[in-house]
Amino acid sequence: MSLASLLDSLPIPILQAPMAGASSDAMAIAVSRAGGMGSLAAAGVAPDEIGPAVEAIRAQTDAPFGVNLLMAPPARPEPATVDAALARLAPWYAELGLDIPNHPNRFSQDFDAQLAALTRAAPPVASFSFSILTPDQVDALHAAGSHVVGTANTVAEAIAWAEVGADGICAQGFEAGGHHGYFLEDIEASSVGTLALVATVLAAVDLPVIAAGGIMDGRGVAAALALGASAVQMGSAFLLADEAIVGPTWQQAIGDAPSDATRLTRAFSGRYARGIENRFVREMRGAQEEVPAYPVQNRLTQAMRAGADKAGDPEMMSLWAGQAVKLAKPGQAGELVRRWWAQAQETAQSLAARTADRRAEPTR
């Protein structure tokens, strides 16, 4: 079965975005059971734990699901770079009453080992962000039985994924919450809105396109499908779900946030990501270009973010969320998916009825 056929076979063409630190295997299972497709965020999962995690999901649902890896580059920063970054963070750690962490021995999981484990586990869909696989790596995943989806923030990135043999493109628009997957150009050149990106990627590649970014309810689902997307991917819409693991401080920040509350920042992780603006984002704005690149800064702020969460202080947490996050609603993940799909169908039917009425009106 091709990826296009797999997506067409879904009762509900809604994919749950893999959100490290926010989504869970329980969420993935609930979404797949409801008729959509759940995803496991495996960026922080050790290689020897990936296979068991995939098998655990398989044991609880026969429906398709995906597993996502972030293609973090090997990090070997100079000690002076780490010292400077920690000095910049020292006042924030002190405010929380925390000691500055020592130089980490490791900044992220070994991607090559993760990829080998994921290939052996052979989930129905394997998706990737931050960079691009080689044709040989894609071939190995295909041989194992996995469909490959590459994240693209531009048409050029979508074409690059098509050229290495990917089965589909996740077109991630500027509106998306969390880390952006750009890898060919800088953030400014890679900041394309979801609707524009989906339309132009569809014109450039002959692959299924999954629309992602700013889709928060059934109306957004209907709009993306009307453009020609094979499915949509929703992340921030699940942040208040029962299965979300974001915790009360993050969820309260969503409730307290004003409209249009999100900003792109490099300060927390060394890579641009969208979240609710807080004091750390504001006060680090002038220095955010100086922080070490992902995953180094991400690892150095880890204890600070965890400490702020424990203290109930949202001002030093990475509150990842997309534009329109204020539309997020609480509920069980599977029920949310069913609700959005019913709304999408109602929206499409209403639009079709209005179009028919206009066509029936006499011209003047």
Side-chain angles (χ1 to χ4, degrees):
M1 178 187 293
S2 67
L3 178 65
S5 297
L6 184 153
L7 295 175
D8 287 344
S9 72
L10 293 176
I12 300 176
I14 294 176
L15 281 58
Q16 165 248 318
M19 300 177 287
S23 59
S24 63
D25 54 352
M27 181 183 289
I29 292 164
V31 171
S32 289
R33 284 177 172 173
M37 192 175 86
S39 297
L40 176 67
V45 179
D48 61 358
E49 295 175 354
I50 288 177
V54 171
E55 289 309 310
I57 295 176
R58 277 201 177 101
Q60 297 184 69
T61 180
D62 294 329
F65 63 92
V67 179
N68 175 263
L69 289 179
L70 302 180
M71 301 180 66
R76 303 179 185 87
E78 294 293 332
T81 299
V82 177
D83 286 339
L86 289 174
R88 197 178 294 115
L89 293 170
W92 300 93
Y93 273 96
E95 185 173 333
L96 289 166
L98 300 174
D99 293 332
I100 286 287
N102 296 322
H103 283 226
N105 294 322
R106 185 181 66 190
F107 292 91
S108 64
Q109 297 290 341
D110 182 332
F111 172 74
D112 289 336
Q114 285 183 313
L115 178 61
L118 184 64
T119 304
R120 290 192 298 271
V125 175
S127 66
F128 300 89
S129 301
F130 291 10
S131 189
I132 190 167
L133 297 177
T134 67
D136 286 345
Q137 289 170 328
V138 173
D139 288 345
L141 285 159
H142 285 163
S146 295
H147 298 297
V148 176
V149 173
T151 302
N153 285 59
T154 65
V155 170
E157 290 175 354
I159 292 172
W161 271 109
E163 289 175 344
V164 299
D167 302 287
I169 305 297
C170 178
Q172 184 192 48
F174 176 70
E175 304 93 327
H179 286 101
H180 285 212
Y182 62 98
F183 59 91
L184 288 182
E185 298 286 350
D186 62 18
I187 187 64
E188 182 177 3
S190 306
S191 296
V192 184
T194 302
L195 294 184
L197 182 62
V198 169
T200 50
V201 168
L202 281 166
V205 301
D206 187 22
L207 291 173
V209 174
I210 300 160
I215 302 171
M216 295 295 298
D217 56 25
R219 297 169 299 173
V221 173
L225 296 179
L227 271 179
S230 295
V232 303
Q233 180 171 282
M234 302 172 72
S236 297
F238 286 101
L239 287 176
L240 300 183
D242 295 346
E243 298 84 353
I245 57 173
V246 299
T249 305
W250 193 341
Q251 291 189 334
Q252 185 62 46
I254 294 172
D256 293 342
S259 299
D260 305 319
T262 66
R263 300 290 183 271
L264 283 171
T265 181
R266 193 173 177 275
F268 280 111
S269 72
R271 185 181 182 91
Y272 277 101
R274 181 175 295 280
I276 295 172
E277 186 179 43
N278 56 15
R279 185 162 61 90
F280 186 83
V281 172
R282 288 190 296 272
E283 295 186 14
M284 287 287 288
R285 183 169 291 123
Q288 68 177 349
E289 296 301 332
E290 300 171 20
V291 306
Y294 185 97
V296 176
Q297 178 75 357
N298 193 62
R299 179 66 178 84
L300 298 180
T301 64
Q302 184 178 26
M304 180 194 77
R305 291 178 279 127
D309 189 15
K310 184 177 180 179
D313 183 354
E315 297 301 327
M316 287 178 266
M317 293 173 57
S318 48
L319 304 167
W320 301 142
Q323 290 181 346
V325 70
K326 293 295 290 183
L327 297 177
K329 304 293 183 185
Q332 196 271 342
E335 181 54 39
L336 290 173
V337 168
R338 286 187 285 266
R339 186 189 309 166
W340 295 326
W341 184 232
Q343 187 180 28
Q345 291 174 303
E346 290 171 4
T347 300
Q349 291 167 1
S350 176
L351 180 59
R354 290 201 300 270
T355 300
D357 289 344
R358 287 172 179 166
R359 287 177 177 170
E361 292 177 0
T363 56
R364 295 181 180 179

